Amino acid sequence: MPSKFLYAFILSFLAGISTIIGAMIIFFDKKKSNKVVVVSLSFAAGVMICVSLTDLLPNAFNMISAKTCLFPRLILTLIFMVIGIIISMLIDKYLPSNNEKVDNKGLYKIGIISMAAIILHNIPEGIATFITSTNNLKLGITLTLAIALHNIPEGISISVPIYHSTNNKLKAFLYALLSGMSEVLGSVIAYLFLAPFISDNIMAALYAVIAGIMIHISIYELIPEAYKESRLKPVLKYFIIGFFIMIVSHLLMSL
């Protein structure tokens, strides 16, 4: 295997494995404090909405064929975003009920849906990291750092709800790890099959759909569940902190 492909795989792995840094919070949450739930869910909602509004949707819009006029590009982006919202609603409605004994089925569902959405998000990220790194290693390293920064709160958004609903730290940790390793799956898919065939239009549709899923999860699941555990002020505070941190990570990526 040429060294450029090896480096690309390593960078994809490092970006994905950062998810477990966020998941490590469950090993310090010995009292299963409600505050941890409020902070993690509000923070994750801020991260997901920021990623959707400042990264996924603008990229989707910009990647649609330049031959398409401005207004149709906007409409297409919004259509695919709505498709993502509908997919998330269907997952939420038809997600099989968990047969295990859980303390909070709402939190468990949030953890599972978040994991599904983040896996869908991480696979194209892994593809992008791999393709970028094979063509420009320096840019690939920058992209890896930015992805790692927002994978940390994604690990929190999966592990904390799973742990608080099942009291199973191992399961919570493994679910977060699984979502992170989907980044590597994306790089493997890119290496074996997709790199020559992926078009900007396909990636644009995928990004917009993922944005719709994340926006729905944040507004319909994460924020209401956090609000049930606390008052509006701390929910907004940690939401804004999560949003601001992602803005900073985007700025770092642009340097």
Side-chain angles (χ1 to χ4, degrees):
M1 178 187 295
S3 59
K4 66 177 183 178
F5 293 137
L6 179 60
Y7 292 143
F9 277 123
I10 291 172
L11 290 175
S12 295
F13 174 79
L14 291 175
I17 203 68
S18 63
T19 307
I20 68 170
I21 298 174
M24 294 295 289
I25 192 173
I26 62 176
F27 296 103
F28 302 96
D29 183 21
K30 296 180 181 179
K31 297 181 180 179
K32 293 180 70 176
S33 167
N34 281 357
K35 184 176 180 180
V36 174
V37 174
V38 173
V39 171
S40 61
L41 296 186
S42 305
F43 185 87
V47 167
M48 287 189 178
I49 288 182
C50 184
V51 168
S52 298
L53 297 181
T54 65
D55 185 3
L56 296 175
L57 289 175
N59 272 312
F61 177 81
N62 291 329
M63 293 176 79
I64 294 173
S65 174
K67 296 178 182 178
T68 308
C69 297
L70 182 66
F71 187 70
R73 288 167 74 184
L74 177 61
I75 295 299
L76 283 171
T77 302
L78 293 176
I79 286 173
F80 284 114
M81 184 190 74
V82 170
I83 289 172
I85 292 172
I86 293 171
I87 290 171
S88 183
M89 292 172 66
L90 291 173
I91 292 172
D92 184 43
K93 183 175 181 179
Y94 295 108
L95 183 73
S97 59
N98 180 43
N99 293 324
E100 298 180 57
K101 182 180 178 182
V102 296
D103 299 327
N104 187 323
K105 289 185 177 180
L107 274 180
Y108 184 83
K109 182 180 284 189
I110 285 173
I112 296 297
I113 295 175
S114 295
M115 181 181 70
I118 289 168
I119 286 174
L120 288 173
H121 177 207
N122 283 356
I123 289 174
E125 265 188 3
I127 293 170
T129 302
F130 184 85
I131 293 173
T132 302
S133 301
T134 53
N135 289 285
N136 186 328
L137 184 59
K138 184 178 179 181
L139 182 59
I141 292 172
T142 303
L143 181 61
T144 298
L145 288 173
I147 290 173
L149 279 174
H150 81 248
N151 276 357
I152 293 172
E154 287 177 356
I156 295 172
S157 71
I158 296 170
S159 61
V160 170
I162 295 294
Y163 169 54
H164 277 253
S165 61
T166 65
N167 201 32
N168 189 326
K169 290 182 179 180
L170 179 60
K171 172 176 280 191
F173 184 82
L174 289 177
Y175 280 17
L177 177 63
L178 176 62
S179 72
M181 287 301 94
S182 62
E183 201 97 37
V184 180
L185 175 60
S187 66
V188 172
I189 291 172
Y191 177 69
L192 294 178
F193 307 110
L194 298 182
F197 307 108
I198 293 177
S199 69
D200 283 350
N201 287 335
I202 292 173
M203 292 301 292
L206 188 57
Y207 281 144
V209 168
I210 294 165
I213 292 173
M214 288 193 162
I215 289 170
H216 177 262
I217 290 170
S218 300
I219 295 174
Y220 187 75
E221 298 281 357
L222 298 179
I223 294 174
E225 192 67 34
Y227 183 58
K228 279 183 3 184
E229 303 286 341
S230 182
R231 294 172 290 107
L232 182 60
K233 185 177 179 180
V235 172
L236 288 176
K237 180 174 75 172
Y238 294 112
F239 174 90
I240 291 170
I241 290 173
F243 198 99
F244 177 76
I245 286 177
M246 286 314 302
I247 293 291
V248 172
S249 76
H250 288 320
L251 291 175
L252 289 174
M253 186 172 65
S254 65
L255 293 177

